[in-house]
Amino acid sequence: MANTFWLGIAAGVPQHLVAIPLAYFIHTQFRRVRNPVISMYFLPYITNTVAITLVFSSLFSRDFGVINQVLTGLGQWQVMGVHPLAWLFPTENIDWGRPEYTRPIVAFIVWWRFVGWNTVLYLSALQTIPKDLYEAATVDGAGTWQQFRYITLPLLRPMMLFAITLTIIGNLQLFEEPFVLTGGSGGVGQVAETVAMQMYKVGLTDGDFGTASAVAWLMFMVIAALTWLNNRYLGRKD
């Protein structure tokens, strides 16, 4: 349960912190080429999850991964016999399979996959906001940040309620990314084993369907409670 909540927060919160300003930037700066740009961000969402996870597994490979090659290349870069970036970047390959790296990698994969989906949701909501509000605010002397703070964010609350609800449901049912990345083991010490993975093991591997059903009902109640709290906060009418 702790792993599930950690991954849900680490992957879910940045999705919306990035998607909202990104959608606003695309909406205001890419008017003519908006559709091609948003298609690029939306592509990871419609790509097969297993394929994405396998690609990232190769990228984070200890011996031949591109990530290690880039990081160690920066750390080993030298000028006149001195390594000026050695204090910031590693000089030897990192073993990404270590427990302290497993959960952050899973969270990054989930974030990368769903940030485009949330961006599309917020962009669709931004297109429904009347332009007259921004024009009136500009006449009154409001800057870009003030317009974003006092016009955009309040009018995005219905979409925020919908998007965050989907994030809560999806992240608490997280299964494919940690399962594929760790080979079904949850990593060293099961640091990335989620409730959905535990339910899979108990039900389909051990054959204890009663316990697996109990776990499913427990997660249903947790998801329902968090969804209710989200609706209570974002669904209220000020």
Side-chain angles (χ1 to χ4, degrees):
M1 185 75 77
N3 291 337
T4 302
F5 276 107
W6 192 97
L7 290 171
I9 294 173
V13 174
Q15 288 179 27
H16 301 277
L17 293 181
V18 172
I20 293 176
L22 179 60
Y24 183 76
F25 178 75
I26 294 174
H27 178 68
T28 55
Q29 302 297 325
F30 292 90
R31 297 182 182 275
R32 295 184 178 180
V33 292
R34 181 185 302 161
N35 292 336
V37 171
I38 198 60
S39 298
M40 295 172 56
Y41 284 100
F42 189 70
L43 186 61
Y45 177 75
I46 61 176
T47 306
N48 183 271
T49 307
V50 176
I52 290 176
T53 308
L54 290 176
V55 169
F56 273 96
S57 179
S58 299
L59 291 175
F60 283 99
S61 174
R62 182 184 63 181
D63 299 320
F64 306 104
V66 176
I67 303 298
N68 267 338
Q69 292 182 15
V70 172
L71 294 179
T72 56
L74 292 173
Q76 296 174 357
W77 177 64
Q78 61 178 353
V79 178
M80 301 179 63
V82 179
H83 301 278
L85 300 180
W87 64 275
L88 182 61
F89 297 99
T91 57
E92 297 181 356
N93 288 347
I94 299 175
D95 183 6
W96 298 104
R98 295 168 58 182
E100 59 266 30
Y101 297 125
T102 304
R103 290 195 302 186
I105 292 176
V106 173
F108 177 78
I109 295 174
V110 176
W111 171 84
W112 182 83
R113 181 167 177 248
F114 286 97
V115 67
W117 161 254
N118 288 292
T119 302
V120 171
L121 293 180
Y122 290 124
L123 183 61
S124 64
L126 285 171
Q127 294 175 351
T128 64
I129 299 177
K131 297 181 181 179
D132 298 344
L133 296 177
Y134 294 104
E135 294 174 356
T138 302
V139 172
D140 291 339
T144 303
W145 166 249
Q146 291 175 316
Q147 294 179 23
F148 179 76
R149 170 66 178 84
Y150 296 105
I151 297 178
T152 305
L153 286 181
L155 295 180
L156 279 181
R157 282 182 61 175
M159 183 54 72
M160 291 172 64
L161 170 63
F162 176 69
I164 294 176
T165 298
L166 293 181
T167 299
I168 291 174
I169 296 173
N171 284 7
L172 292 184
Q173 295 179 344
L174 196 61
F175 177 81
E176 293 176 303
E177 289 86 351
F179 186 87
V180 176
L181 187 67
T182 63
S185 65
V188 179
Q190 289 77 47
V191 293
E193 183 177 12
T194 63
V195 174
M197 292 175 63
Q198 176 69 13
M199 182 174 59
Y200 171 83
K201 288 182 179 180
V202 172
L204 297 182
T205 303
D206 300 338
D208 189 355
F209 293 99
T211 302
S213 298
V215 173
W217 275 105
L218 174 63
M219 286 310 301
F220 169 77
M221 290 186 288
V222 171
I223 292 174
L226 292 178
T227 302
W228 178 81
L229 289 175
N230 181 47
N231 182 71
R232 180 103 175 159
Y233 176 71
L234 291 177
R236 71 178 189 273
K237 297 181 180 180
D238 296 334

